[in-house]
Amino acid sequence: MIELTLDEIAAAVDGRLVPGASGATGATAVTGESQTDSREVAEGQIFFARRGEETDGHRFAAKAVDSGAALLVVEREVDDRVPQIVVADSTDALGALATEVVRRVRGAGGLRIVGITGSNGKTTTKNLVAAMADRLGPTVASAKSFNNEVGGPLTMLRVEAGTETLVAEMGASAEGEITRLTDMAQPHIGVVLTVGLAHAGGFGGIETTFRTKSEMVRALDATGVAVLNRDDPRVARMAELTEARVRWFGQSEAADVRASDIVGDASGTRFTLHADGASRPVRFRVLGEHHVMNALAAATVGLELGLDLDAVVETLEAAVVAAPGRMEVLGGRDGITIINDAYNASPDSMSAALRTLAQVRRPDARSVAVLGAMSELGELAGDEHDRIGLQVVRLGISELVVVGADARRLHISAINEGSWDGESVLFDSADDAFDYLKSGLRPGDTVLVKSSNAAGLQALGDRLGAEFAPASDATTEEVTA
C-alpha cells in the first residue's frame, strides 16, 4: 500500500483514531497490506475486524496484534497495544480506504485499471491479462478469486506508487455489487466474458444477471474500452449501454480479435489468432477448448495495453498454471489422468468440462465423470442437473459417479436416458466415492472431477491425483484454468 498517516486513514474511512498504548500519533505512517483474516496478518499490516455470518473478526484482533498488525480497523475498541480506528462498518471502511488509495495513485498518473467480469472464466482471464501487463511494468492482480466486496478492495489496497496496472476481477451475487467495485476503481478497460446461469438463483433470473454484468460497461466513460464477447448475444447487447469504445473478441468473423482452426487434445488447444489484419498460430496449454475465449479476451486487453501480437502470443503460450482445482491435470500412474475442475461449477462450465473430457480421453480407454451438485441455481437447479445428466450419456461418457444427495438428479437423469446397466452410480460422501474409484479405475482412464465449491469435491480430486501419482514423481504436471 502507499504510505498514509493514521490521520489520513481515519479521514478516508470516516473513523475515530484511538492511538492506544503504542505511542503512535496521527502523523504515524502505515504502509503494510490489509487483511481480514487474522491468520494472514504479517508485520506492519492493517487488520480489518469484520463481523461475518458465522464469526466476528473482533474476536481475533489480539491474534492479529500478536502477529505484528500495526493498525486495527474496528467497530468497537478491542486492543490498545496498537492504534485503532473505530468505524461504523468495517467492510465499508475497507472499501473506502481502497477507493482513496486508488484515487491517489491514479491521480498521480500512470495507473491503468482493467476490470473483468462474467459468469465464467474470470480467474483464467485475469491471470492471462496480469501476465501480459507484467511485461509492461509493475502489476497488481486479484489473488485467487478475490472479486467481491472484500476481495476486491484487498486487491486494490496492494497498489503502490509505482504500480502501472491493476487487474481486478469483479464478481457479483446481486445487482449493484459490480457498481460498488467500479466506484472504488473505475476501469479504463472493462471486460465482459459471458452471461450465464452461474448464481442464477441468487440473481433471480438470466435478465437480472445481464443487468448486473452490464454494470461493468456502464461504469466506463468515453475514454474507456469495453472488451466484449461477440459470440454471446447477451454480452453483445451491452455495446448499446456504454459510452466506451468497443473491442470484440470471439470466433465470429465480426470480432476484432478472433480464433479459427481450433483443435484441442489432452495437452491443450491449438488455434490461429487473428487481430488487426495479422494472424499467428498459438499453442495454448490450458486444457479445454472453452478456455480459448478467455485467451481471446486476454489477447484483446493485451493489445489495448500496448503489446504487439507476437508478445501476446508468447504470453498465451507460456501460460500453464493458474489456480488449483481449475482443469488441473493430476495423476499419471498407469496412464490414469485426473482432471480436477472442482473449484466451482455452473451449468455452462460443467457442460464445457464434460465436452473436454469426451474429447481428450484415450480412444482405447474409458472416460469417467465424477460430479457433484451445482449450487446457487434456485428454481433452475432441477432442470439444469437433469440437462447435465442427459449430456453425460449423449457424450458417451463411460461412467458417471455422482456424489451427494444434492446431485441425485444427475444420477436419475442419466439412468432415464439409458445408463441403466451400472454406468451411473451414486454415493452419499466423497470418502465413499474415493474408495470406489481407488479400486475401480483402470489403466488409461481419464477422470473429470467437477462440482461447485460447496459440494467439496476439490479435495476428492486432490486425493485421487495423489493416489494415482507416479511412484517416482511426487509432483504432477498441472495445466489449470
Side-chain angles (χ1 to χ4, degrees), residues 27-89:
T28 300
V30 178
T31 60
E33 293 185 14
S34 296
Q35 305 290 352
T36 59
D37 186 338
S38 62
R39 295 168 296 184
E40 301 293 328
V41 172
E43 191 72 28
Q45 295 187 342
I46 305 171
F47 177 64
F48 283 77
R50 297 179 58 249
R51 289 176 291 107
E53 294 181 3
E54 299 181 0
T55 189
D56 184 343
H58 296 78
R59 293 172 51 203
F60 306 100
K63 180 180 177 181
V65 175
D66 292 342
S67 297
L71 171 66
L72 304 177
V73 179
V74 295
E75 295 171 13
R76 62 179 186 273
E77 295 181 36
V78 290
D79 192 318
D80 68 354
R81 289 180 290 166
V82 298
Q84 302 172 77
I85 295 177
V86 183
V87 297
D89 185 290

Side-chain angles (χ1 to χ4, degrees), residues 1-5 8-9 11-13 30-34 46 48 93-109 111 113 140 152-163 166 183-186:
M1 188 181 77
I2 61 173
E3 182 175 299
L4 294 173
T5 67
E8 288 173 323
I9 295 173
V13 302
V30 178
T31 60
E33 293 185 14
S34 296
I46 305 171
F48 283 77
L94 180 68
L97 185 58
T99 302
E100 177 66 8
V101 167
V102 171
R103 183 190 70 79
R104 291 190 180 211
V105 178
R106 186 169 185 163
L111 179 65
I113 301 172
V140 169
L154 286 175
T155 299
M156 298 169 196
L157 286 167
R158 290 169 42 218
V159 167
E160 299 177 343
T163 302
L166 168 64
D183 284 348
M184 296 177 197
Q186 182 186 17

Side-chain angles (χ1 to χ4, degrees), residues 353-377:
L354 287 168
R355 292 195 301 271
T356 298
L357 173 64
Q359 180 182 57
V360 304
R361 74 165 179 180
R362 299 182 181 186
D364 57 346
R366 301 187 312 158
S367 54
V368 180
V370 183
L371 306 182
M374 299 175 288
S375 59
E376 300 184 59
L377 293 176

Side-chain angles (χ1 to χ4, degrees), residues 96-406:
L97 185 58
T99 302
E100 177 66 8
V101 167
V102 171
R103 183 190 70 79
R104 291 190 180 211
V105 178
R106 186 169 185 163
L111 179 65
R112 301 166 296 192
I113 301 172
V114 181
I116 300 169
T117 196
S119 297
N120 300 292
K122 293 185 292 296
T123 299
T124 301
T125 305
K126 175 262 298 181
N127 289 341
L128 292 170
V129 170
M132 294 188 187
D134 271 336
R135 299 177 71 113
L136 299 169
T139 298
V140 169
S142 305
K144 304 177 183 177
S145 294
F146 279 12
N147 60 28
N148 61 9
E149 63 180 359
V150 176
L154 286 175
T155 299
M156 298 169 196
L157 286 167
R158 290 169 42 218
V159 167
E160 299 177 343
T163 302
E164 295 186 10
T165 308
L166 168 64
V167 184
E169 284 189 52
M170 295 184 175
S173 56
E175 284 190 84
E177 292 183 2
I178 291 175
T179 295
R180 179 172 180 167
L181 294 170
T182 58
D183 284 348
M184 296 177 197
Q186 182 186 17
H188 296 88
I189 301 174
V191 182
V192 185
L193 299 166
T194 58
V195 174
L197 293 176
H199 311 295
F203 282 123
I206 195 71
E207 283 304 311
T208 308
T209 305
F210 166 79
R211 290 196 303 272
T212 302
K213 300 303 182 185
S214 71
E215 292 171 16
M216 174 67 75
V217 300
R218 295 174 194 269
L220 300 171
D221 62 24
T223 67
V225 181
V227 174
L228 302 179
N229 182 348
R230 188 66 179 82
D231 298 351
D232 186 315
R234 292 186 178 87
V235 176
R237 284 167 50 194
M238 295 182 190
E240 304 168 3
L241 305 177
T242 185
E243 300 176 11
R245 175 169 57 90
V246 174
R247 286 277 280 174
W248 299 107
F249 67 91
Q251 296 182 47
S252 167
E253 292 281 349
D256 300 301
V257 179
R258 65 184 181 88
S260 66
D261 308 317
I262 300 172
V263 179
D265 57 31
S267 64
T269 308
R270 297 183 301 278
F271 64 93
T272 302
L273 175 65
H274 307 272
D276 301 325
S279 300
R280 297 287 190 278
V282 178
R283 187 71 175 90
F284 190 48
R285 290 183 288 171
V286 176
L287 186 63
E289 288 186 11
H290 53 292
H291 287 302
V292 171
M293 295 299 288
N294 303 325
L296 293 175
T300 308
V301 174
L303 293 168
E304 285 295 321
L305 290 175
L307 290 178
D308 62 29
L309 189 57
D310 289 330
V312 166
V313 171
E314 287 175 7
T315 307
L316 293 177
E317 293 192 331
V320 179
V321 175
R326 297 177 186 273
M327 298 303 281
E328 183 179 9
V329 178
L330 305 170
R333 175 164 58 84
D334 298 328
I336 295 173
T337 300
I338 310 296
I339 304 171
N340 191 1
D341 194 34
Y343 180 85
N344 220 334
S346 67
D348 292 337
S349 67
M350 183 81 83
S351 179
L354 287 168
R355 292 195 301 271
T356 298
L357 173 64
Q359 180 182 57
V360 304
R361 74 165 179 180
R362 299 182 181 186
D364 57 346
R366 301 187 312 158
S367 54
V368 180
V370 183
L371 306 182
M374 299 175 288
S375 59
E376 300 184 59
L377 293 176
E379 64 182 15
L380 301 174
D383 289 344
E384 291 303 318
H385 284 86
D386 287 346
R387 184 174 67 83
I388 294 298
L390 297 178
Q391 184 181 17
V392 168
V393 178
R394 292 171 183 176
L395 286 172
I397 304 300
S398 307
E399 184 172 13
L400 172 62
V401 178
V402 179
V403 184
D406 291 344

